[in-house]
Amino acid sequence: MDDLRNRSLGELFTDLSRDIAVLVRKEIELARLEMSRIAGTLARRATFIAIGAVLAVAGLLSLIATLTLAGIALGLSPLASSAIVTALMIVIGGVLVTQGMSALRAETLVPTETIQTLKETGEIFRSPARGARGA
């Protein structure tokens, strides 16, 4: 405390501005790290959704053709065979897309740590300095 009393007002303001600059840089760094984590999560979830959709379409096309021909060979009409395979592919694709979407909804996509520290920082600047008046 004696060290603070022996310093000029200019020195104190210089230290304060330097500390605020460090605080702002750290807040930006935290926000960047948190957004990077969120972007990675989004990319992974979107990859599952995309892979599921592509597989559903590719499987739909391939299996419809194959199973339709197999159904015809077994004596089914082309229409009945195609309808059965189409329904099966839509269900499988829908399950994959639904799983990806529900996993995506379960993730927190808001930079909560950054928001919390910004709130705390704001409270520090809004509240009067404690101890300064009592000294």
Side-chain angles (χ1 to χ4, degrees), residues 8-132:
S8 71
L9 190 58
E11 291 173 324
L12 292 174
F13 277 117
T14 300
D15 287 350
L16 177 63
S17 65
R18 184 180 59 242
D19 290 346
I20 290 172
V22 168
L23 177 64
V24 168
R25 278 195 300 274
K26 292 295 183 180
E27 291 289 346
I28 291 170
E29 183 180 336
L30 175 62
R32 188 176 301 134
L33 287 171
E34 208 169 1
M35 292 307 293
S36 175
R37 180 185 55 79
I38 289 170
T41 298
L42 281 173
R44 284 189 301 277
R45 300 302 184 227
T47 300
F48 280 118
I49 293 168
I51 289 172
V54 167
L55 288 176
V57 169
L60 179 69
L61 296 175
S62 176
L63 284 176
I64 285 175
T66 303
L67 293 177
T68 300
L69 291 174
I72 293 169
L74 292 174
L76 292 174
S77 72
L79 181 60
S81 181
S82 179
I84 292 168
V85 174
T86 299
L88 181 63
M89 291 301 107
I90 290 173
V91 167
I92 291 171
V95 166
L96 289 173
V97 171
T98 301
Q99 284 179 344
M101 294 298 285
S102 66
L104 187 60
R105 279 189 211 103
E107 294 293 332
T108 301
L109 303 177
V110 176
T112 54
E113 292 176 36
T114 301
I115 291 170
Q116 183 60 37
T117 58
L118 287 173
K119 286 179 183 177
E120 291 169 1
T121 301
E123 289 299 320
I124 290 170
F125 289 111
R126 277 189 225 114
S127 64
R130 293 187 182 147

